[in-house]
Amino acid sequence: MKRSLVIFYAIIIYALAELMWWGYMLVNLQPRRFAMIMGEGSMFIIVFLTGAYYMHASMKKERKLMEQKKNFLLSVTHELKSPLASIKILLQTIQKRDLTKAQILDFIDKSLLDVERLDDMVENMLLASKIDNRSYSFPKAEFNLSVLVDSIVNRLQITKCDCNQQIINAEIEPKIEITGDKFALTSVVTNLVENAVKYSKPCMAVDVKLFQKDGKVFFQVADHGIGISDSEKTRIFDKFYRVGSEDTRNTKGTGLGLYIVKEVLDKHQASIRVRDNRPAGSVFEVVFA
């Protein structure tokens, strides 16, 4: 890509130099038409530079997208490798050691958690692909959102440290019914809660709330993690975008989660906004009208 930019700039400089030379030659040959030559030449230069500017912007955007895709492939490779390695070790331990029934069941439970993690990631990539090529129709039906959120919270309730405290504190108002695509909204809830846990420090609580107010349904996920700067709040829902830089980012991810969240909520005429949590962290609030 750098070589292409060098060639592009060289062509621009050469074209401008040629234009100025031919303009100079025309003025010398026909000095009476100096005003006309300068006017048409100036207009040509303006059009030429405008086209060059937009072409440069397009090439820069393509270069950035290629870098994001490269980072995405690296992230996906790591995301796949980590749980697969964990499952392999657990199964090999069951196979090679004489374990008690309780130990075997514990290892199987841990393996199933890694399988669910892999399943979530694959579902995210498939849904993002279907959203991109507009092959997903978002079939809607009435379902109990309270039960959905509660089941996801229980599944993601993983202790990240040696203490016995719960990582996710949930306040879920019962019997909240909405009409929507249950599969896609499952991905929304999962991504928001997983992100909150992922970007929080070990033993740092995540607060999940689901309630009704003034005829609207509110779903909130609050963490006390690294937070999101104001400059990044407008970009976090872009495809492949991840908070921070590749040098300073320590958390794993593909950059698809919040992109899927925004796209799915747009199809449900629901809104999402992010604000700062106090004293640290972020709050994501989804409102179903």
Side-chain angles (χ1 to χ4, degrees), residues 85-146:
S86 175
I87 293 169
K88 183 178 179 180
I89 291 172
L90 290 168
L91 293 178
Q92 286 176 337
T93 304
I94 294 173
Q95 184 184 50
K96 295 178 181 180
R97 294 191 179 183
D98 187 16
L99 304 174
T100 65
K101 184 177 180 180
Q103 288 175 320
I104 292 173
L105 290 175
D106 180 54
F107 281 14
I108 291 174
D109 287 340
K110 290 177 179 177
S111 297
L112 288 174
L113 286 174
D114 282 324
V115 170
E116 287 177 347
R117 177 180 161 191
L118 285 170
D119 186 58
D120 286 342
M121 185 175 64
V122 172
E123 292 291 356
N124 262 358
M125 289 189 288
L126 287 174
L127 184 55
S129 177
K130 289 178 180 179
I131 289 172
D132 274 350
N133 58 34
R134 300 184 180 182
S135 63
Y136 191 70
S137 59
F138 294 93
K140 295 179 175 64
E142 189 173 356
F143 67 94
N144 192 315
L145 184 61
S146 301

Side-chain angles (χ1 to χ4, degrees), residues 4 24 43-44 79 116 137 168 176 187 193-194 201 235 244 252 273:
S4 299
Y24 173 75
M43 183 58 66
F44 181 83
E79 288 271 332
E116 287 177 347
S137 59
I168 305 173
I176 294 181
S187 183
V193 177
E194 273 191 337
K201 296 179 181 178
R235 302 179 61 195
K252 295 172 288 185
R273 68 188 186 101

Side-chain angles (χ1 to χ4, degrees), residues 7-22:
I7 294 173
F8 173 73
Y9 292 137
I11 292 173
I12 295 296
I13 293 171
Y14 174 77
L16 288 174
E18 282 290 311
L19 179 65
M20 292 176 68
W21 169 252
W22 284 107

Side-chain angles (χ1 to χ4, degrees), residues 53-66:
Y53 169 79
Y54 282 107
M55 186 176 291
H56 170 77
S58 178
M59 293 176 67
K60 188 176 180 181
K61 185 177 179 180
E62 183 181 353
R63 182 182 180 185
K64 187 176 181 180
L65 186 61
M66 288 177 64

